[in-house]
């Protein structure tokens, strides 16, 4: 049994990337894994101020939800990072969380990552820029692996993903960890 953390960065509950998170969660839970989804919109996460306090071995001076989420990332075996794609990059919610990992990213060792991205654009190649941005985060970690990437294209309005193959793909990703 693995401990799985799903980070949904959709600004809208029930948005396309959030629905794919739910399917991944369903598959992982059915497979017997301990899986949890955090909906970043429900959390208060301030921007990194670049103060450098976290680089001196002290805790971030900001008192918000970031510390709790980062602790969950550190304790997870598998981290799923899901985002809608806006202007060919990840959501602000996801980028803000990644930036706040600065003080503890060196503790995120040997994690397996899955990426989920949704976009109105129908061209999968254009979405690879977003995955490259996630890869930039992983490049700073010790021994990360990518378990899978799910790109759902041609989905704009909430629910557009419902009858796409991506729903089954997300479920199977979670089920077949």
């Amino acid at each position: 049994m693995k401990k799985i953390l799903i980070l949904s960065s959709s600004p809208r509950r029930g948005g396309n990337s959030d629905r794919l998170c739910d399917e991944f969660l369903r598959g992982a839970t059915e497979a017997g894994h301990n899986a949890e989804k955090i909906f970043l919109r429900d959390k208060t996460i301030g921007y990194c101020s670049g103060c450098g306090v976290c680089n001196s071995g002290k805790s971030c001076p900001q008192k918000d939800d970031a510390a709790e989420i980062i602790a969950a990332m550190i304790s997870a075996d598998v981290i799923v990072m899901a985002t809608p794609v806006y202007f060919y990059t990840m959501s602000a919610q996801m980028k803000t969380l990644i930036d706040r990992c600065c003080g503890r990213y060196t503790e995120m060792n040997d994690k397996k990552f899955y990426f989920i991205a949704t976009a109105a654009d129908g061209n999968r190649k254009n979405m690879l820029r977003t995955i490259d941005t996630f890869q930039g985060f992983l490049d700073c970690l010790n021994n990360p692996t990518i378990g899978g990437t799910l790109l759902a294209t041609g989905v704009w309005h909430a629910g557009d993903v419902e009858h796409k193959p991506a729903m089954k793909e997300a479920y199977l990703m979670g089920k077949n960890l």
Side-chain angles (χ1 to χ4, degrees), residues 35-57:
E36 166 191 19
K37 180 179 92 168
I38 295 176
F39 190 60
L40 295 183
R41 179 181 171 189
D42 290 345
K43 303 295 182 177
T44 300
I45 306 169
Y47 300 119
C48 176
S49 66
C51 68
V53 170
C54 65
N55 293 325
S56 64

Side-chain angles (χ1 to χ4, degrees), residues 6 12 41 48 70 92 96 111 133:
I6 302 168
R12 57 185 181 182
R41 179 181 171 189
C48 176
I70 293 165
T96 300
K111 306 292 179 199
T133 305

Side-chain angles (χ1 to χ4, degrees), residues 31-94:
H33 298 291
N34 177 8
E36 166 191 19
K37 180 179 92 168
I38 295 176
F39 190 60
L40 295 183
R41 179 181 171 189
D42 290 345
K43 303 295 182 177
T44 300
I45 306 169
Y47 300 119
C48 176
S49 66
C51 68
V53 170
C54 65
N55 293 325
S56 64
K58 297 178 184 171
S59 297
C60 179
Q62 294 191 57
K63 302 303 176 212
D64 59 13
D65 296 321
E68 171 190 335
I69 298 167
I70 293 165
M73 292 172 75
I74 291 166
S75 69
D77 301 308
V78 175
I79 300 173
V80 178
M81 301 179 95
T83 185
V85 174
Y86 300 131
F87 300 102
Y88 302 106
T89 194
M90 67 182 64
S91 69
Q93 292 83 347
M94 183 63 75

Side-chain angles (χ1 to χ4, degrees), residues 7-11 17 40 81-101 113-119 126-138 151:
L7 300 171
S8 175
S9 71
S10 178
S17 63
L40 295 183
M81 301 179 95
T83 185
V85 174
Y86 300 131
F87 300 102
Y88 302 106
T89 194
M90 67 182 64
S91 69
Q93 292 83 347
M94 183 63 75
K95 180 64 169 113
T96 300
L97 175 64
I98 289 172
D99 288 349
R100 288 293 299 283
C101 290
F113 286 85
Y114 287 83
F115 302 124
I116 295 173
T118 59
N126 289 338
M127 294 177 69
L128 296 178
R129 296 179 205 170
T130 303
I131 304 308
D132 285 344
T133 305
F134 280 127
Q135 184 64 54
F137 174 57
L138 267 59
L151 305 175

